[in-house]
Amino acid sequence: VQLVQSGAEVKKPGESLKISCKGSGYTFSNYWIVWVRQMPGKGLEWMGIIWPGDSDTRYSPSFQGQVTISADKSISTAYLQWSSLKASDTAMYYCARPGSSGNYHDAFNIWGQGTMITVSS
Amino acid sequence: QSVLTQPPSASGTPGQRVTISCSGSSSNIGSNTVHWYQQLPGTAPKLLIYTNNQRPSGVPDRFSGSKSGTSASLAISGLQSEDEADYYCATWDDSLNGYVFGTGTKVTVL
């Protein structure tokens, strides 16, 4: 069971971006996927979750309207995207999966390796 | 700004016991189970404790968790050099309707 994320990106302010998180070794549709931000030298922040089975999505109020979470269950992949990046989006982004199917309150026992996003002019 | 408060740092010599506190409220720790994550330098977080005091397979029994009321704690007994890491508590918050992480504690082995 693993989550593999897309590689690091360097972008300019105002550009768009979509990063990915591919699951394998389990039935992707049956587990929530969460996205977590970690700004340089800072702590972990829960951004939102998606149920790949029907793309039911919930956002943290802090990130609502700032990013879009989506999934394509046919290729076992979840996405996090920005339409217009800002310098303050510079951070490491992790996807993760709870240990039990159907419970998004559960602890995240599977983590991706992280995707570093750098936004600089 | 996190709703779960942890001390910024903790330290101990090899073999000592270190305890990390996590303070919350009735809407988070008071009504949901607590999880703990370990983040070694330059790596993704790893689940250390789930459902207040349960260890995933492979986590040494030197690590233990507890919860009382609106607070939780993580204890590391027999501290080892490889325990140098950042530790985060986390739980669901019913008021925010979201998952919240603690402010994080950096553990240093002297």
Side-chain angles (χ1 to χ4, degrees):
Chain A
V1 176
Q2 63 176 350
L3 297 172
V4 177
Q5 298 184 230
S6 50
E9 302 270 3
V10 179
K11 307 292 280 187
K12 290 183 170 24
E15 291 186 330
S16 63
L17 177 64
K18 191 174 190 177
I19 63 174
S20 66
C21 169
K22 183 174 177 60
S24 62
Y26 72 98
T27 303
F28 188 74
S29 298
N30 291 352
Y31 288 81
W32 292 90
I33 290 288
V34 63
W35 286 96
V36 174
R37 182 176 78 174
Q38 187 168 39
M39 298 177 77
K42 302 298 184 182
L44 306 172
E45 300 173 88
W46 184 88
M47 302 176 71
I49 51 172
I50 187 165
W51 179 258
D54 62 3
S55 290
D56 179 15
T57 309
R58 325 279 173 89
Y59 292 93
S60 161
S62 298
F63 293 94
Q64 179 82 49
Q66 307 305 308
V67 297
T68 300
I69 295 172
S70 60
D72 184 343
K73 64 182 179 181
S74 69
I75 55 172
S76 301
T77 301
Y79 302 97
L80 179 65
Q81 70 180 88
W82 295 259
S83 59
S84 180
L85 286 160
K86 301 185 279 286
S88 57
D89 293 318
T90 295
M92 180 71 82
Y93 294 86
Y94 295 100
C95 63
R97 195 208 80 173
S100 59
S101 174
N103 184 358
Y104 55 78
H105 292 206
D106 202 6
F108 312 134
N109 68 335
I110 305 295
W111 289 74
Q113 81 277 21
T115 296
M116 182 67 204
I117 306 301
T118 303
V119 183
S120 174
S121 54
Chain B
Q1 190 168 344
S2 177
V3 298
L4 302 181
T5 303
Q6 300 178 231
S9 63
S11 62
T13 56
Q16 277 192 325
R17 176 184 172 91
V18 169
T19 301
I20 300 168
S21 61
C22 175
S23 178
S25 68
S26 58
S27 66
N28 43 65
I29 293 177
S31 50
N32 293 286
T33 60
V34 177
H35 317 130
W36 289 89
Y37 299 91
Q38 176 194 58
Q39 187 175 31
L40 297 169
T43 69
K46 167 192 167 185
L47 180 63
L48 200 64
I49 297 287
Y50 66 97
T51 314
N52 303 327
N53 55 17
Q54 302 298 302
R55 285 185 307 276
S57 173
V59 172
D61 59 7
R62 305 185 290 104
F63 295 93
S64 62
S66 64
K67 171 186 149 177
S68 178
T70 59
S71 294
S73 63
L74 173 72
I76 310 172
S77 59
L79 193 65
Q80 298 183 5
S81 58
E82 58 261 37
D83 298 334
E84 273 208 350
D86 293 322
Y87 293 83
Y88 296 90
C89 60
T91 187
W92 188 261
D93 190 295
D94 294 332
S95 294
L96 297 176
N97 199 26
Y99 195 80
V100 290
F101 289 97
T103 49
T105 299
K106 183 175 184 61
V107 168
T108 301
V109 181
L110 301 171

